[in-house]
Amino acid sequence: MALLPILKYPDPRLHTRAVPVQSVDHRIQTLVSDMLQTMYEASGIGLAATQVDVHECVIVMDTSESRDQPVVLINPEITERSEEIVLGEEGCLSVPAVYDKVERHARITVRALNRDGQPFELEAEGMPAVCVQHEMDHLRGKVFVEYLSPLKRDRIRTKMLKRSREEQRR
Ligand code: NI
């Protein structure tokens, strides 16, 4: 297993659209293990392959309190969405220390392949539902700050660029 570097907003590579995984082979299973390790190490609840600069449809998440219930979604597809919308605060490993409110469907059903390449369906609500929608946005090249007002987004962009310059100087 290996820790993978996480791309930080406004890195343009975060806007790459991921392609479906052709086959869940050894390469993808290694990617999944590395992504899980990277997510746990960063104390995140979800990570999309886009964020580690791999542009294939792979998501890992774990919204459990105990941090021992990993969920792997390969080629996820949302098949049902509730009409009910919830407004909740989100953060992202690619936009550290920024949290803001985003509207999401309260409940969703998602179909995907697991890490063994077997199809399964997941019904989610609450935090797992929000997490799936947030991570699936990454696969489409969308970062949550793009839901915010242009003014807020500009402020975040400036803050992130300043932060990365400071990190480079260290
Ligand atoms: Ni994110």
Side-chain angles (χ1 to χ4, degrees):
M1 290 210 286
L3 283 178
L4 306 169
I6 299 174
L7 299 180
K8 299 290 177 345
Y9 184 81
D11 192 311
R13 289 172 290 181
L14 285 169
H15 304 304
T16 313
R17 197 172 254 277
V19 299
V21 168
Q22 290 304 317
S23 114
V24 182
D25 53 14
H26 183 70
R27 180 181 66 90
I28 294 296
Q29 284 166 345
T30 302
L31 173 67
V32 164
S33 300
D34 291 347
M35 283 174 62
L36 280 167
Q37 195 194 0
T38 303
M39 176 189 76
Y40 285 124
E41 174 74 22
S43 304
I45 61 167
L47 187 69
T50 311
Q51 294 176 274
V52 293
D53 203 20
V54 176
H55 302 287
E56 291 173 76
C57 295
V58 178
I59 288 169
V60 298
M61 51 188 267
D62 187 343
T63 53
S64 72
E65 198 77 26
S66 47
R67 314 286 292 148
D68 58 359
Q69 280 163 57
V71 176
V72 176
L73 300 166
I74 297 171
N75 297 346
E77 238 181 285
I78 292 183
T79 54
E80 279 174 69
R81 301 169 168 81
S82 67
E83 275 180 35
E84 189 193 337
I85 300 290
V86 288
L87 183 66
E89 194 153 77
E90 294 185 24
C92 180
L93 293 176
S94 293
V95 200
V98 172
Y99 301 89
D100 217 317
K101 290 199 167 146
V102 178
E103 286 186 347
R104 301 287 186 185
H105 297 279
R107 289 172 303 282
I108 54 152
T109 304
V110 61
R111 199 181 291 156
L113 301 177
N114 68 14
R115 62 200 300 178
D116 300 315
Q118 300 302 314
F120 72 105
E121 209 169 64
L122 178 76
E123 282 178 35
E125 67 173 299
M127 208 204 289
V130 169
C131 190
V132 169
Q133 293 169 80
H134 175 117
E135 302 311 331
M136 283 184 71
D137 273 352
H138 277 303
L139 299 181
R140 297 190 297 119
K142 185 157 182 166
V143 181
F144 85 102
V145 296
E146 289 166 72
Y147 288 107
L148 309 177
S149 70
L151 181 68
K152 270 193 183 171
R153 202 164 54 225
D154 281 349
R155 273 199 209 128
I156 292 166
R157 175 183 275 268
T158 307
K159 182 173 157 182
M160 293 294 299
L161 289 171
K162 187 168 168 239
R163 197 187 151 115
S164 87
R165 277 196 302 272
E166 281 167 4
E167 270 166 15
Q168 275 162 17
R169 234 179 277 137
R170 254 176 240 149

